Amino acid sequence: MNEYLKHDEWCIIEEGFTPENHCASESIFSLGNGNMGQRAMFEEHYSGETLQGTYIAGVYYPDKTRVGWWKNGYPEYFAKVLNAPNWIGIDVLINGEMLDLAKCKVSKFVRILNMQEGVLLRSFVAELSNGNQVEIEAKRFLSIVTSEVGTIRYAVKALNFDGQISFNPYLDADVANEDSNYDEKFWDILNTKSVKGEGYITARTKKLDYHVCMGMKYDLYKDGEKQKVTASLIEENKYVSNTVVIDVCKGEEVTIYKYASVLSSLNHSKAEIMADAEKVVSKAHQKGYDSLLEEHVGAWADKWSNSDITIEGDVAAQQAIRFNIFQLNQTYTGEDERLNIGPKGFTGEKYGGSTYWDTEAYCVPFYLSTSKPEVTRNLLIYRHKQLQKAIENAEKLGFNNGAALYPMVTMNGEECHNEWEITFEEIHRNGAIAFAIYNYIRHTDDKKYLEEYGLDVLIGISRFWSQRVNYSETKNKYVMLGVTGPNEYENNINNNWYTSTIANWCMKYTQEAMEHVQKNNLTRFEEIMNNLKFDFEEETAKWNAIIDNMYYPVDEETGVFLQQDGYLDKEQIVAADLDPKARPINQHWSWDRILRSCFIKQADVLQGVYLFEDQFDEETIKKNYDFYEPRTLHESSLSPCIHSILAAKIGDIEGAYDLYLRTSRLDLDDYNMEVHEGLHITSMAGTWMSIVEGFGGMRVVNGTLVLKPLIPKGWTSYSFKVRFRGNLVNVRVSEEGVGVINEEGDDISIFIVDDEYVIEKSSSLVIEHA
Amino acid sequence: MNEYLKHDEWCIIEEGFTPENHCASESIFSLGNGNMGQRAMFEEHYSGETLQGTYIAGVYYPDKTRVGWWKNGYPEYFAKVLNAPNWIGIDVLINGEMLDLAKCKVSKFVRILNMQEGVLLRSFVAELSNGNQVEIEAKRFLSIVTSEVGTIRYAVKALNFDGQISFNPYLDADVANEDSNYDEKFWDILNTKSVKGEGYITARTKKLDYHVCMGMKYDLYKDGEKQKVTASLIEENKYVSNTVVIDVCKGEEVTIYKYASVLSSLNHSKAEIMADAEKVVSKAHQKGYDSLLEEHVGAWADKWSNSDITIEGDVAAQQAIRFNIFQLNQTYTGEDERLNIGPKGFTGEKYGGSTYWDTEAYCVPFYLSTSKPEVTRNLLIYRHKQLQKAIENAEKLGFNNGAALYPMVTMNGEECHNEWEITFEEIHRNGAIAFAIYNYIRHTDDKKYLEEYGLDVLIGISRFWSQRVNYSETKNKYVMLGVTGPNEYENNINNNWYTSTIANWCMKYTQEAMEHVQKNNLTRFEEIMNNLKFDFEEETAKWNAIIDNMYYPVDEETGVFLQQDGYLDKEQIVAADLDPKARPINQHWSWDRILRSCFIKQADVLQGVYLFEDQFDEETIKKNYDFYEPRTLHESSLSPCIHSILAAKIGDIEGAYDLYLRTSRLDLDDYNMEVHEGLHITSMAGTWMSIVEGFGGMRVVNGTLVLKPLIPKGWTSYSFKVRFRGNLVNVRVSEEGVGVINEEGDDISIFIVDDEYVIEKSSSLVIEHA
């Protein structure tokens, strides 16, 4: 852990400059707007340790796979999150000396991420080795209104000298990925252009030929007055800049406003991209910093009005949940079905690919409740568009007849991971993709989605499951051999309860979905059947045989569902018995020891209990929770939220709260000492789930919203909003009771605990505790 | 398969130059003398495809490990087989044009490996682009008498021209490993020296500081007459040579004799190494080519007289078994306990490390029967010396109290492999190391070995097993979870029958060994107990609890021993059902599919049945053989021999012969199209076992030699020799009967089939079939 940030309801605040924390802060203070993002690097030159990261959504690089030992079925290339050209750079020279925080005395350093407004601020006083003291205030944002525009206001005040300040705003495409497999640079330069007051650079990726053009314009002000200055134009191979020099007297402040446009060939023709970049940056420049900021802040206010969670009585918790919501909203806005939610979002380059099962299992619930249905729908369509690749992926592993195995990690539908025990075996991801379709329809009532996109994905997935099992003559059951469940601390196991459960559910739900489409749109149904060459009789007969005869490992004595066939053969010890120094075990134990231990990395059986809780009575849920929670180490950021929700479900509010704490400040307090690599974006949705589904007890049952709210000790109140089938429902839970406001939509019927209430449109309901 | 070599009883013969086969031939025609070896590269320049390989026993390089995903417990460095400086090179210029077989017309090309004499010959006629025709005869050998010396006789005859021939004999240290993980070169140069008629180069490895010095001297003859020539001396950074030019007339033949010394700091002080190299090469030069050759051929005759197997009536089989024996004898001579038997010997650089369980499981039986006991003893001492590293290796994985896990692959005792499912889980190797001690004593009666070296190794191994199992509350047995058996087509399985069986045997045998030492040398026994801090009561009690309660998976219906707990849950199909195009499956199937299939790569349960056959009645052996043979694909070179021996055991001589064929010509006919990477040295011992233990039925039972000979159809006779407890026994099996000659040692008692015979010293016995 590393707790160096101040607690505040709306801001993340770092006071004092500690170079050792800089890379962590670069991650935590990251900015993004769905279309692009960047780590909180300094604008001015910095020779200290930094992880430079500028990312453009959908622009990636297929890096040649690097392995120790090749296994058949591995992909030849991995889509890497690509570090793009840097557009924020502004070198600053004070009387000829480069401002560099690694080389001067820094005081009054404050870095603030204003989450309410989506703005990054930084101010400090620096004394250079020439004795000159300057006060700097830097402010920047990536517009969520015009998502190709970023803007910086950078002010320098001469505190103790007269002289010259020189600014060198630049665009730099000579950038690399830290995690490049073969130390290659991934960008070629196509075109550069520099004019007085502006500059442009177009770069292309060495593979896949993505073009990216960045443009910049800037203005210079002294004490509020716009300056006319002479600019020296610099154009190097991969670099464009202007140098402007301005005279200052002691006490004067010079401010540079830098406007940037960041365009990619995903959205622009390659022929026009530089011209377009000029237009976009010119428009931004014309509009001006204040107007851009104003509309940006307004748009953030809208986002917050849909997705904010308030917590009274616990500033750390309030800050944390907002941080999680803020980062999710910075990462994905749902406007572009080609994009997805990388595990590190725009905050780091670690892990290839942008799409994990995290999206479906964790992020979908968040976006379903906090955004319009289109946002989630686009996440689903993303997978629909990659169905053919998923079929090819399955073929590569030896499956046929249109069976689809979605990759563990992907960008473009192709696999980006290469541990056989994960890539080939952690196949439960397929189930999460099917479940997300179900969840989307359950939440939005958009059943048409099945006809349009859902059904063929479901069929591909069910076909996979039906081929992935085999009939065991000794068990007289269908078994699923050689899988890895969500608990990656067991590999290549047989009959993982979770995987078999979700597989079986998939084959059932696919048949429900087929029935629905057949009944509501026969033409489309027949079209799908024809396209997929679906042999209805034979294939569904096979599915049903499996459904009726699937093998699930269960402890006969207690009825607890078992992780896998051999789980109870392991020595049964619990996390509390572990020497705290051995944790996290993935840093202290050999892989061998981890695999043989009974310790669980993250919710596995409980993930299934969570997803399918309506199939189990409370005793069963409690029995499994009580068995697995002590054995679960939560060494994945995705784990505590599920346990927290189940703890709340069985009424263990203190347990739920403890688990909530582990998830909500994971990055802010750097629990795992790794935040410098980037934030855990997708698991942030789990934090949201812990509050809304955990404490709030929000569920959808038979098409109706259900709330069973609890409140943790020490919280005065908390509130959240849920968008549900055309309604926007505001829920406030306090020690005294529950208040619900039907903010948008028609009258709505809601269950609170066990009672049904109708809340008329634009009205509210208050239920006080007995 | 690629059958391009001629069948011959004593020689491997390639006729005609086919560049596509050159790399394969470089492997097959390799030379070695236990101390060094090399691929059959050309002496003259060759710009075509070649894998240059010169290897010096015990000189290796710890290359930084390269993995896709790091797992705790992996070693940071891997010992790589190191390509050493090249000393065979002789550039030849004909009237100024470089002789290069890739660039001239080649005819009458013949390459012969004379296995009887240990000599590599090559002759051909080349027409250069200048029209000059030359006839070349090259002959070289690595002395097995003076193992630091190699000698080349290289003759060039001017067929159709007068003019100049220039020879450029050189030493070149600018060499690299093809499999270097980070494309580094591993050698630095310390010193070079060139004098007229000689040259020296000392290089050191960039890590570990091995020094190697090579020296060369040469003489030039024209039509049998020694020539005085002027030499230009060339010394470059990593290269030393002489250039000598000689005038020839059409029809004249010029011969260069190149003598080389190859010394390493394993055997020489670094300060003296170049002086020593001068001495060694001078001595060889003085002795001269013919004398060196004569003593070399004589020494090979001795080797053959101990280890030859003759086969009458089947030239291909005769050639093959001699090739196997020849390569084994080239690889390891047993004179140096620091050395071991790399899987590719001196024939390629693939696979790091030099020592696998192959040594104990396959090579030990070969050397026990064909060499003096000291040879095997040195192989055992090699492991004894690495015991501390094996203990450290186990500690790294979480074991304690002196538990030892020998590495899967090693050079210096440290692990050189990094697939977790192999490195951490294929632990049966530990058992093979213990079994080799047992086997050595059984064969040689050298029980003192236990006191001197054996016991502490056995205790370390047994301690490992006792910690590696855990008690299963559900099975009420000790289980061994998370292992990989010899069948690497299943990973991370539970209760591999073979591993559990050999583990249990180890704990029993260790106690027998302790008893023996206690009884025969109490002082030494107490010393060992003290050194190892062995708690006799507690530790043996634990071992015995495990021995009595070990869990073995067995098919209850048939009594077949099962590979692992879940084996029968797999779809049960047999190899005969497979599309031949899918084989080898490791080249055609995804890893996922392989793991889930019931197909077995190599003998696994049957490996245990083979090792412990005296524990099982013939019905049990047959039942298991009949179950596993159809499911075994023999996609490891180590597999068919074990099956062949068991087939012979149960009287299936045809099955045994078919399996023998797969092992004996594996490399000569390039069954797996990979021989260009190097030969399968260790599995060659399996071929020898197939004949001696399979067809010959040789066993040691209660200290007595037993033979149960069969003869395959089509063989007129075969003979082999067995060195056993001071005797050298020559066995000849023909269609008519069995003849045994007691060639060395006292009277010996031997069982033939079920009858005991005493054969007096230097006499023989003939038993004709009824």
Side-chain angles (χ1 to χ4, degrees), chain A residues 10-12 29 112-121 326:
Chain A
W10 274 112
C11 291
I12 310 298
F29 291 80
I112 298 175
L113 182 65
N114 182 329
M115 301 185 286
Q116 192 165 26
E117 302 189 341
V119 174
L120 174 65
L121 296 103
F326 177 69

Side-chain angles (χ1 to χ4, degrees), chain A residues 68-334:
Chain A
W69 297 85
W70 190 264
K71 306 276 191 196
N72 286 344
Y74 281 163
E76 207 175 334
Y77 296 95
F78 279 5
K80 278 267 164 78
V81 169
L82 180 59
N83 184 23
N86 171 3
W87 59 262
I88 64 157
I90 305 170
D91 287 341
V92 179
L93 283 90
I94 311 296
N95 282 325
E97 183 179 336
M98 181 77 88
L99 175 64
D100 174 353
L101 265 66
K103 292 187 176 158
C104 53
K105 275 189 222 157
V106 183
S107 58
K108 299 188 187 168
F109 181 94
V110 184
R111 174 148 47 180
I112 298 175
L113 182 65
N114 182 329
M115 301 185 286
Q116 192 165 26
E117 302 189 341
V119 174
L120 174 65
L121 296 103
R122 188 165 51 105
S123 61
F124 57 92
V125 169
E127 183 179 316
L128 285 76
S129 66
N130 62 14
N132 293 166
Q133 291 178 359
V134 286
E135 185 177 322
I136 307 287
E137 195 190 69
K139 210 168 160 179
R140 74 175 188 250
F141 61 93
L142 310 187
S143 173
I144 59 165
V145 178
T146 318
S147 69
E148 293 176 329
V149 169
T151 311
I152 301 167
R153 181 189 185 282
Y154 194 98
V156 183
K157 187 171 185 178
L159 293 183
N160 67 345
F161 62 92
D162 299 342
Q164 281 190 327
I165 300 181
S166 142
F167 291 95
N168 192 36
Y170 63 85
L171 303 171
D172 179 13
D174 191 19
V175 295
N177 264 54
E178 271 213 347
D179 68 347
S180 154
N181 285 345
Y182 296 90
D183 290 335
E184 292 165 291
K185 289 196 171 175
F186 297 151
W187 293 98
D188 281 335
I189 299 308
L190 285 176
N191 207 351
T192 54
K193 178 176 166 182
S194 82
V195 185
K196 189 187 156 193
E198 45 195 307
Y200 303 91
I201 197 159
T202 310
R204 65 186 285 274
T205 56
K206 285 186 181 166
K207 290 184 203 156
L208 296 184
D209 197 37
Y210 287 115
H211 291 204
V212 160
C213 182
M214 294 188 173
M216 65 165 183
K217 288 202 165 194
Y218 62 91
D219 293 323
L220 219 64
Y221 284 77
K222 185 153 79 179
D223 284 350
E225 211 165 296
K226 191 163 176 178
Q227 304 292 301
K228 286 208 173 162
V229 285
T230 321
S232 329
L233 309 185
I234 301 168
E235 255 177 85
E236 288 167 15
N237 175 28
K238 298 186 167 191
Y239 178 91
V240 170
S241 81
N242 274 198
T243 299
V244 288
V245 182
I246 189 160
D247 294 321
V248 287
C249 299
K250 181 174 156 183
E252 282 181 335
E253 186 179 67
V254 187
T255 305
I256 183 167
Y257 292 86
K258 183 177 180 185
Y259 303 88
S261 59
V262 177
L263 277 61
S264 88
S265 55
L266 264 74
N267 303 309
H268 294 270
S269 87
K270 289 172 185 170
E272 303 291 327
I273 197 164
M274 193 175 272
D276 290 352
E278 288 192 46
K279 281 180 211 151
V280 173
V281 76
S282 296
K283 211 168 148 189
H285 178 249
Q286 221 163 9
K287 195 176 265 180
Y289 179 84
D290 291 333
S291 302
L292 288 168
L293 179 60
E294 195 184 335
E295 65 184 25
H296 172 74
V297 170
W300 267 109
D302 281 351
K303 279 207 185 285
W304 283 115
S305 81
N306 277 298
S307 58
D308 192 22
I309 287 181
T310 67
I311 298 173
E312 286 183 308
D314 189 339
V315 176
Q318 174 67 77
Q319 181 185 45
I321 187 62
R322 283 199 172 123
F323 181 67
N324 287 298
I325 295 167
F326 177 69
Q327 290 294 356
L328 282 162
N329 282 325
Q330 287 206 118
T331 305
Y332 186 73
T333 59

Side-chain angles (χ1 to χ4, degrees), chain B residues 511-566:
Chain B
Q511 292 184 71
E512 280 174 38
M514 285 200 291
E515 234 169 83
H516 173 84
V517 176
Q518 191 174 24
K519 217 159 83 186
N520 291 278
N521 190 341
L522 188 62
T523 319
R524 175 65 181 143
F525 178 74
E526 284 171 350
E527 185 188 31
I528 293 171
M529 293 296 106
N530 281 333
N531 285 347
L532 302 181
K533 297 193 180 61
F534 193 85
D535 185 330
F536 194 90
E537 289 293 310
E538 198 184 303
E539 298 199 46
T540 58
K542 189 177 173 197
W543 296 0
N544 287 322
I546 297 165
I547 289 167
D548 294 342
N549 275 293
M550 183 75 101
Y551 173 77
Y552 304 99
V554 174
D555 180 9
E556 283 174 21
E557 224 170 277
T558 61
V560 164
F561 307 139
L562 295 176
Q563 284 265 131
Q564 49 115 342
D565 278 1

